Amino acid sequence: MTETSQHDAELMTLDEPVLETIKRDLKMIGAKLKFVFMPTAKSEDTIAELRKWDLWGPLLFCLILSVVLSVSASEDQGSTVFACVFVVVWVGAFIVTLNVQLLGGKVPNFQSVCVLGYCICPLVLAAVLGMLWNNIFFKLALVAAGYAWAMRAPVVFMAQLVSEEKKALAVFPVGLFYLVIAWMIVII
């Protein structure tokens, strides 16, 4: 078998069992999360891994955050909170991506949304832990730590997409995006 036909055989997953597909996707999510949760990784390694985009992880984290915050909300506002969180995450990620593109950055929409979506994971963990022990000071500390942790990878990623003089303009909306998500976690 030639190298190209072997590569094509690896890409053909129609005959793959569903459990294998789920395992492969979970391993892929775990590999990307390693770069979000290990801030000691080199910037080049982080950027190389984050350039391989997928939307399974961002969808999973968005759903978890939406469910956690809707469960934490009052009974009559649960569905509204779920919808608002879902829209804020996806529309906000696309707006941040559009900003980088307007500043001259060459980044595919879904690649940027992937990076931003994976990087909300520390905020999702803060929301889950804050829901378990509903103390405002504990929640504030968790969210502040989650915000700082969530900002590392996208700042490195976005800063490399634009010229030196436009880095602040590219990074500021990222910080604002995560600040809105952090604020929603704190107030709900």
Side-chain angles (χ1 to χ4, degrees), residues 67-159:
V67 168
V68 165
L69 293 182
S70 68
V71 167
S72 300
S74 63
E75 203 171 297
D76 60 330
Q77 293 182 343
S79 59
T80 304
V81 168
F82 182 93
C84 286
V85 171
F86 203 84
V87 168
V88 164
V89 169
W90 290 103
V91 171
F94 276 109
I95 289 172
V96 170
T97 301
L98 180 62
N99 177 61
V100 170
Q101 290 173 340
L102 290 174
L103 290 171
K106 304 282 190 248
V107 60
N109 287 333
F110 292 127
Q111 182 182 19
S112 178
V113 169
C114 172
V115 171
L116 294 167
Y118 272 104
C119 292
I120 66 168
C121 187
L123 288 169
V124 171
L125 288 176
V128 169
L129 293 174
M131 182 183 75
L132 296 177
W133 190 33
N134 198 10
N135 178 318
I136 189 65
F137 299 112
F138 179 68
K139 192 183 271 192
L140 279 173
L142 282 173
V143 170
Y147 176 80
W149 210 340
M151 283 295 293
R152 181 199 175 266
V155 165
V156 169
F157 182 75
M158 294 295 180

Side-chain angles (χ1 to χ4, degrees), residues 8-20:
D8 290 341
E10 290 173 3
L11 294 177
M12 298 297 278
T13 59
L14 291 176
D15 297 333
E16 181 179 62
V18 173
L19 191 56
E20 289 299 315

